[in-house]
Amino acid sequence: MKDEWKDMYKKPQEPDLKHTGPLLFYTELVIDHFTNPRNVGEIENPDGEVVVGDPSCGDQMKVSIKICGNRIVDIKFKSYGCPGAIATSSMMTELAKGKTIKEALELTDDDVVIALGGIPERKKHCSLMGVTGLRGAIEDCFRKGARKRGKTDEKSVS
């Protein structure tokens, strides 16, 4: 009984011709990542960290990463937002974890949406936050690294 609300977000098998307003249909995977998000929290002493937001809808997200060698060994997020924002942030962490920096930087918004089996068109802007947060956390890591080495120029990562 406690999970009945999830049915509101599932696409009906047959169209409801009585409904006249816009509907949002989420895949089972989107609902799962929204109700059971992965990698939630903050990393103590992260190598990189960023807060990003979407002013158009008020969603906000914090991403922190831990890097060992050239690989993301841990990634966490905290998000305030709609089901799409939380689900895409969760999926982004799953896709990025274990990847090299180069591989992580190659992840796109479309990769996240495809991995979730799609999200409603008017919620696709939510996926931008996850990838933007990932890239921002990686950039922060390199800024911190440059400061530790006493350099001010940033080098691109391979």
Side-chain angles (χ1 to χ4, degrees):
M1 190 124 122
K2 72 175 190 163
D3 290 337
E4 288 177 0
W5 66 269
K6 291 180 186 179
D7 293 336
M8 295 185 331
Y9 295 101
K10 294 179 187 173
K11 189 170 187 175
Q13 295 300 330
E14 295 184 24
D16 181 3
L17 300 177
K18 292 181 258 173
H19 192 281
T20 57
L23 292 176
L24 295 176
F25 298 114
Y26 292 105
T27 66
E28 292 286 331
L29 193 53
V30 171
I31 293 169
D32 183 45
H33 273 269
F34 169 61
T35 57
N36 305 294
R38 282 60 156 188
N39 306 304
V40 174
E42 294 182 58
I43 295 174
E44 194 171 316
N45 300 314
D47 293 316
E49 185 173 64
V50 71
V51 175
V52 295
D54 182 350
S56 71
C57 63
D59 294 346
Q60 191 172 43
M61 166 184 168
K62 181 177 188 177
V63 179
S64 52
I65 59 173
K66 194 63 116 166
I67 296 174
C68 183
N70 195 30
R71 195 166 294 278
I72 297 174
V73 293
D74 199 8
I75 182 168
K76 300 238 185 267
F77 82 99
K78 287 177 114 177
S79 184
Y80 172 80
C82 67
I86 293 168
T88 56
S89 298
S90 173
M91 179 56 80
M92 175 279 297
T93 65
E94 288 290 283
L95 294 174
K97 196 171 198 174
K99 297 240 186 303
T100 65
I101 298 298
K102 183 177 192 251
E103 292 167 337
L105 288 170
E106 290 172 352
L107 286 175
T108 67
D109 303 320
D110 287 340
D111 293 332
V112 174
V113 171
I114 289 167
L116 285 169
I119 59 174
E121 190 63 37
R122 64 181 219 177
K123 288 294 183 177
K124 284 197 177 169
H125 69 278
C126 300
S127 67
L128 303 174
M129 225 171 36
V131 172
T132 300
L134 172 63
R135 291 180 179 155
I138 291 170
E139 288 172 16
D140 183 54
C141 178
F142 288 104
R143 276 193 299 273
K144 288 177 179 176
R147 283 195 301 263
K148 285 180 186 173
R149 292 187 306 271
K151 300 177 181 176
T152 56
D153 63 325
E154 294 180 27
K155 303 286 184 199
S156 61
V157 191
S158 56

